[in-house]
Amino acid sequence: MESRQDLTKELLAGCFKELMLSRPFEKITIKNITDKAGLIRPTYYKHFQDKYEVLEWIFINEIGDEAELLIENDQFMDALLLILRRFEKDAVFYRKAFKIPGPNGFRDVLEQYLTRIFERELEQAADPDLFQGYATKARTARYLMHGLISLLEDWLFDPNACSPDEFCRCYRFLANDLRAHDKPNI
């Protein structure tokens, strides 16, 4: 059973998400969010510091936590497929989220999330002798993260984009079977 605090966070996040569909991120105020939710401004600040934090909360709660469970169970490609399907389902929201400029924007949230995932994957999957000198695990994780974010963004904004399933097949090829034993349940 969800707590009242969780329900309030979901309400605020849902109102923020609705507002993102109809106006630019920069034009959305905390007052807009609380008015839409029928709450007062101090209630917002009990749950979130700013709009950037609610944006991160939406990603983590709608995608990130579930994807991490799959990854923890050695199902990296299934996690990627989940991310793609959720991006596809809420494409307008995520396209706008990608356009949020500056630090703490959606791209930063995604970078931190994927870097952490790739660092963990490399720790488990790769030969430790491989990461000596310049090509550390941290640098390799950032390299993989930047490549995946670039592909995700191109895919999300491409009006003729392939299906999430096809994207995963292409990504597996491009990533050279980083986790070859993990096959998506397609």
Side-chain angles (χ1 to χ4, degrees), residues 26-155:
E26 306 80 38
K27 302 275 187 195
I28 298 171
T29 65
I30 303 305
K31 184 172 179 1
N32 296 144
I33 299 167
T34 55
D35 284 354
K36 188 161 189 62
L39 301 170
I40 57 175
R41 282 176 56 112
T43 303
Y44 182 92
Y45 291 110
K46 286 181 185 176
H47 300 284
F48 300 108
Q49 291 179 7
D50 54 27
K51 297 183 296 184
Y52 296 99
E53 188 175 352
V54 75
L55 181 66
E56 180 176 4
W57 188 89
I58 289 168
F59 172 74
I60 296 301
N61 283 276
E62 291 185 356
I63 299 174
D65 286 344
E66 193 174 343
E68 279 207 57
L69 284 174
L70 290 167
I71 292 165
E72 287 171 9
N73 288 298
D74 290 329
Q75 297 174 313
F76 180 83
M77 293 307 293
D78 287 334
L80 179 57
L81 190 57
L82 169 80
I83 292 168
L84 289 159
R85 286 181 176 159
R86 299 283 167 84
F87 278 8
E88 183 179 54
K89 178 181 174 249
D90 289 327
V92 174
F93 173 76
Y94 284 107
R95 282 184 197 119
K96 288 185 173 217
F98 260 107
K99 291 180 179 179
I100 297 170
N104 302 319
F106 182 69
R107 179 177 282 280
D108 283 354
V109 168
L110 205 51
E111 284 179 5
Q112 291 170 17
Y113 177 82
L114 290 173
T115 298
R116 192 177 72 250
I117 296 300
F118 280 124
E119 284 174 346
R120 198 168 58 222
E121 285 291 296
L122 290 168
E123 191 67 41
Q124 295 171 5
D127 176 2
D129 295 333
L130 187 63
F131 301 104
Q132 307 221 350
Y134 184 78
T136 64
K137 285 181 187 168
R139 281 191 179 108
T140 304
R142 284 195 309 274
Y143 166 78
L144 293 168
M145 170 274 297
H146 283 296
L148 181 53
I149 288 177
S150 178
L151 290 170
L152 285 170
E153 189 173 18
D154 288 349
W155 175 82

Side-chain angles (χ1 to χ4, degrees), residues 152-169:
L152 285 170
E153 189 173 18
D154 288 349
W155 175 82
L156 189 60
F157 284 92
D158 183 349
N160 300 311
C162 62
S163 71
D165 302 270
E166 184 62 25
F167 181 101
C168 284
R169 280 190 283 279

